[in-house]
Amino acid sequence: MKSIKLSLFFLLVFFAIFTACGKPSADAKASSDFYEEVSRLNKVLSEINLKYVEEVDPNEVTKAAINGIRSVLDPNTAVLDPKMNDDLKRATEGEFGGIGIQIGIRDNLKTVISPMLGTPAYRLGLKAGDIITHIDGKPTKDLTLDEVVDKLRGKPGTDVTVTIAREGTAASFDVTITRAKIVIHAVPFAGMLDKEVGYILLATFSLKTASELEEAINKLKKQGMKKLILDLRSNPGGLLNQAIEVTELFLKKGNRIVSAKGRIINTESNASKDGVVGNDIQMAVLVNQGTASAAEIVSGALQDWDRAIVVGKTTFGKGSVQTVFPLSGGGPLQQFMQDDGGHALKLTTAFYYLPFGRRINKPEMEIKGHGLRGTSEESDDADTVSRDTSVRDTQVYYTVGGRKMYGGGGITPDVDIESKVVPWIAQVKERMSLYFRFAVKYRTQLGEAASKIDSTWQIPDTLFASFKAFCDADTNFTKMKSYSQIRTDDIEEYLIKEQNIITGDSSKVLKDASISAAIANLRNALAKQNEAQAIEIKNYSLNAIKRELISAAHGEEAYIAWRLRDDVQLKEALKYLKNDSLYKSKMKAPPKEVKKTVKK
């Protein structure tokens, strides 16, 4: 009886997945083949249940089978348990408990897309591109994306330790983060940069994003806004309907915004009304590697309609539709699983396409083994958007004004510019919250005067010496080593191994005095270099402490405004918006551009 129930269980699970996905094709043979394969799989599972050397747990085997299916699909497909399903719903409502990051899959690694502004992860210095290798000491390699999210979320006030691997940093490092109630404000900051240029930071796409953005726009228009910078950097995306409503704030009625195409989805979304920001207001959109999903739809659509110049770095490249299908609904499957109705299948059902055909998705986000394949002739024109053909569709697309674009690799900015590089030693101090922790200590010493600190406050020079002593007293900080210092340790280790092979002993020190002295000298030189770098970034350190004091005294808006002062990408966008001829030249198609007919 048990074996019959187990076989029925497996069959019902896969039937539920098949039903949720829809039939593969109208073709009878394709449908027949599918049922034959499912029948064979059910036979295999039944034999395992009856004859395997030990009893198997049906839940474990089912989970393994489902994960096997995922391995040939894409990283965004997953089966959600009731808690994960509930977390997904609450995240789109704009409030949940966790550390405040959005994560995705890059090269099969769990990667931070972006830390959310004002959250514990953001304050502790997690960055777009960081790889989460372990959570509370346990590897994430074999976990699904949703399982990782589930482990990071939890009751506010509880701690979770994540192990981070970061490009340019030789060794992984641990960050212990205290979970907090994450309330996402779609527009955490909006203001005038000068008498003409307005600036809006759009952080996410949740239920009220479009209404919050429209309110911010109207506020800035009353203040005389004639040009606008829309900041979508590190925006992880969210609800599709909000991406559509946000985009139509800047377009004309009838303009196509996005289409979604898959086997069961074929939709097209157009602006339902004229936008509240007319073409008389020139725009720049800021993007970076953390700009994803809905944020890529907005930036790509505005680029396609030549409505804004896009400034920054190429975006994340997540352009697929996930649909959530319940796996139970009162039928035999729910009864058999003793399910409360909360399990669901999050399935990739379509890809997003920009107004004139570009696809956003990068190859690593595709179905396994299905990279993008070009269908058009290559252009020999020198004046084209630079691209890496290994991660790009070779299909050529055009904006409404005739500018050439390529798909399949996120949104490539019109103006490619890196953000300001933070020195290594400063990154370490940011990551270890040394600026924040010192500011807390210093704020206590200031007493009531701390509440009066603003952007005009002069930082006393004596503060740097106090901060340096504070860092030197932190044993965790003093143990940190630069990439060069770690490599020096490696060199000494290899030299000792080589020495021991030659001499046949097991000595743990170098016997050659000259080599030993050279290693010691190198270590001393690197230590002095680190010390010099710490002094060289004196201004950065003082400004970082001031930033934390301003944030504590006046809140997140003041914190953001202070950070914008030295924002290289923002300054580049301003350069184009303040120079009309420069702006128009960037929007103009190359001369003698001839659109080639795409071969179908």
Side-chain angles (χ1 to χ4, degrees), residues 99 126 132 134-135 152 160-164 173-175 177:
I99 66 172
L126 267 65
I132 300 176
H134 294 74
I135 299 175
L152 293 176
V160 61
T161 298
V162 295
T163 304
I164 298 295
F173 54 88
D174 290 341
V175 181
I177 307 172

Side-chain angles (χ1 to χ4, degrees), residues 109-144:
L109 301 171
K110 280 65 179 183
T111 305
V112 176
I113 298 176
S114 63
M116 300 172 186
L117 283 167
T119 63
Y122 185 86
R123 297 297 295 273
L124 289 177
L126 267 65
K127 299 177 180 295
D130 283 350
I131 298 166
I132 300 176
T133 62
H134 294 74
I135 299 175
D136 288 331
K138 296 181 179 178
T140 61
K141 180 181 178 182
D142 296 324
L143 297 178
T144 67

Side-chain angles (χ1 to χ4, degrees), residues 74-198:
D74 72 290
N76 295 298
T77 290
V79 174
L80 310 177
D81 64 28
K83 184 180 183 304
M84 294 161 68
N85 195 14
D86 186 57
D87 286 343
L88 180 63
K89 292 175 184 176
R90 283 190 285 127
T92 58
E93 291 168 0
E95 185 175 309
F96 57 91
I99 66 172
I101 62 169
Q102 193 77 13
I103 62 174
I105 302 289
R106 277 289 178 84
D107 297 325
N108 295 320
L109 301 171
K110 280 65 179 183
T111 305
V112 176
I113 298 176
S114 63
M116 300 172 186
L117 283 167
T119 63
Y122 185 86
R123 297 297 295 273
L124 289 177
L126 267 65
K127 299 177 180 295
D130 283 350
I131 298 166
I132 300 176
T133 62
H134 294 74
I135 299 175
D136 288 331
K138 296 181 179 178
T140 61
K141 180 181 178 182
D142 296 324
L143 297 178
T144 67
L145 194 60
D146 293 290
E147 286 172 335
V148 170
V149 171
D150 187 52
K151 288 181 179 296
L152 293 176
R153 289 181 178 171
K155 185 178 179 180
T158 59
D159 288 344
V160 61
T161 298
V162 295
T163 304
I164 298 295
R166 177 175 293 169
E167 185 176 356
T169 302
S172 299
F173 54 88
D174 290 341
V175 181
T176 298
I177 307 172
T178 301
R179 296 182 179 95
K181 184 178 180 180
I182 307 298
V183 179
I184 304 172
H185 298 287
V187 183
F189 181 81
M192 296 295 292
L193 298 177
D194 56 30
K195 293 181 180 180
E196 285 189 332
V197 183

Side-chain angles (χ1 to χ4, degrees), residues 3-4 6-7 43 45-52 56:
S3 64
I4 294 174
L6 183 59
S7 297
K43 175 67 173 175
L45 295 173
S46 297
E47 291 296 317
I48 290 171
N49 180 60
L50 288 169
K51 301 171 183 176
Y52 189 65
V56 294

